[in-house]
Amino acid sequence: MASKRPVGTITRGTTNPNRLRRVDRWLAGPQARRLRRHRHTPVVVDLGYGASPVTAVELHDRLRRVRPDVHVVGIEIDPARVAAARDLERPGLSFRRGGFEVPLDGQQRPVVVRAFNVLRQYDEAEVPAAWAQVQERLSDDGLLVDGTCDELGRRSTWVAVDRTGPRSLTLSWRLRGLTAPSEIAERLPKALIHRNVEGERVHGYLAALDRAWSYAAHHGSFGARQRFLATAAALREEGWPLLDGPSRWRLGELTIAWDAVAPGDDRAQPGGQATSVPEGQRA
């Protein structure tokens, strides 16, 4: 790709070791097939890794257990951050300057672009254009993972976006000490964080989570995990389109089809027509 001015703005860049372990676990779990089925070396991008390259190093460590030849590229718009990361380069891990244009060598197209705590610092109106630019760079079966988490990675959320549009929303909690699932609302991705209001689908989903969590209180005597499993099972029984099952729920993780939480003015979003939420699922 020809050298161009990076697309985007420099973000605060704060990060911590192990902060992105939840999304990495998802990439190395349910999404591992995207890496395994590639005939050639799969390329994964850590877009906007921040002031420290630690999350890119951790991503490489975790994904090479799934695909030993994976190549992780850390991309940052700040040249000083790229220069500081260069000492950590090794086979399968490199760093370069860039932004949402995702500059890679030759005709390379990434299997995964992980952009965490990046768009959170942008305006909501800027999200569709940023998604679209990254989507153009993805491989045919590639995925953009746009997410947000707290400083220690105990609460994490992300939207999975393929070349056709957003496909799912994943919420992941540290179950110990969880009071109400809706506490994660403050960490929703930028596309949804301002939509947690009456009448929006994501608000209805979080309200349903809280109700199910409350009704499952009696399972708490067996631990928070059992209570969460009962919560997720109740949501599925109500008709919420959860895309995962108990093996992920046990980790404090829920993935739901995007149509069930998409913003009210997002019905025509590429990637499928939004389905209406049944009456019994509304807040």
Side-chain angles (χ1 to χ4, degrees):
M1 175 178 289
S3 177
K4 297 180 180 179
R5 182 183 179 87
V7 178
T9 58
I10 297 176
T11 59
R12 291 190 299 273
T14 55
T15 191
N16 283 303
N18 222 24
R19 187 182 185 188
L20 304 186
R21 62 191 179 278
R22 292 182 179 275
V23 65
D24 288 356
R25 182 174 60 190
W26 184 75
L27 290 173
Q31 302 305 313
R33 57 185 172 79
R34 297 180 187 273
L35 302 177
R36 293 192 178 111
R37 65 190 178 195
H38 270 259
R39 295 178 57 189
H40 306 292
T41 298
V43 177
V44 174
V45 169
D46 187 7
L47 182 60
Y49 57 81
S52 167
V54 63
T55 57
V57 174
E58 292 173 341
L59 180 62
H60 185 232
D61 286 340
R62 288 159 179 160
L63 294 188
R64 65 180 175 177
R65 297 170 192 164
V66 173
R67 182 71 187 252
D69 63 337
V70 67
H71 184 191
V72 172
V73 182
I75 294 180
E76 248 297 338
I77 201 168
D78 184 348
R81 294 174 182 175
V82 177
R86 286 270 162 79
D87 288 343
L88 294 176
E89 289 188 332
R90 63 193 185 195
L93 176 64
S94 61
F95 298 90
R96 64 181 56 196
R97 187 178 183 223
F100 293 115
E101 78 282 5
V102 190
L104 295 173
D105 294 333
Q107 301 300 312
Q108 287 183 326
R109 290 187 175 273
V111 178
V112 174
V113 174
R114 186 189 68 180
F116 247 70
N117 302 304
V118 175
L119 284 171
R120 180 176 176 84
Q121 300 179 49
Y122 285 68
D123 290 332
E124 182 183 359
E126 297 177 279
V127 171
W131 280 4
Q133 188 142 28
V134 176
Q135 285 173 276
E136 290 180 0
R137 297 289 296 127
L138 294 174
S139 63
D140 289 343
D141 60 344
L143 203 64
L144 162 64
V145 184
D146 170 19
T148 304
C149 64
D150 64 12
E151 289 72 14
L152 298 179
R154 294 178 176 179
R155 295 175 185 170
S156 189
T157 74
W158 57 90
V159 180
V161 184
D162 66 15
R163 286 179 63 88
T164 65
R167 310 307 302 172
S168 64
L169 170 70
T170 301
L171 307 180
S172 182
W173 299 260
R174 179 178 183 264
L175 295 179
R176 186 183 305 169
L178 180 63
T179 302
S182 64
E183 294 170 354
I184 206 168
E186 64 183 17
R187 297 296 172 176
L188 286 172
K190 178 59 72 170
L192 292 173
I193 194 167
H194 301 300
R195 303 306 185 112
N196 185 28
V197 294
E198 191 72 35
E200 289 280 356
R201 295 182 183 89
V202 71
H203 181 272
Y205 178 50
L206 292 176
L209 268 168
D210 278 355
R211 286 196 302 271
W213 176 257
S214 178
Y215 295 156
H218 59 288
H219 290 276
S221 59
F222 301 103
R225 178 175 294 172
Q226 293 302 314
R227 183 176 180 179
F228 192 78
L229 284 166
T231 298
L235 282 177
R236 174 163 285 170
E237 289 176 6
E238 288 179 17
W240 290 94
L242 300 183
L243 303 181
D244 49 14
S247 65
R248 306 305 299 181
W249 302 345
R250 291 177 62 84
L251 302 174
E253 179 183 298
L254 286 178
T255 297
I256 191 168
W258 176 254
D259 289 348
V261 294
D265 55 4
D266 201 29
R267 297 170 191 260
Q269 176 70 38
Q273 296 181 350
T275 56
S276 60
V277 179
E279 187 68 30
Q281 296 175 4
R282 297 175 186 167

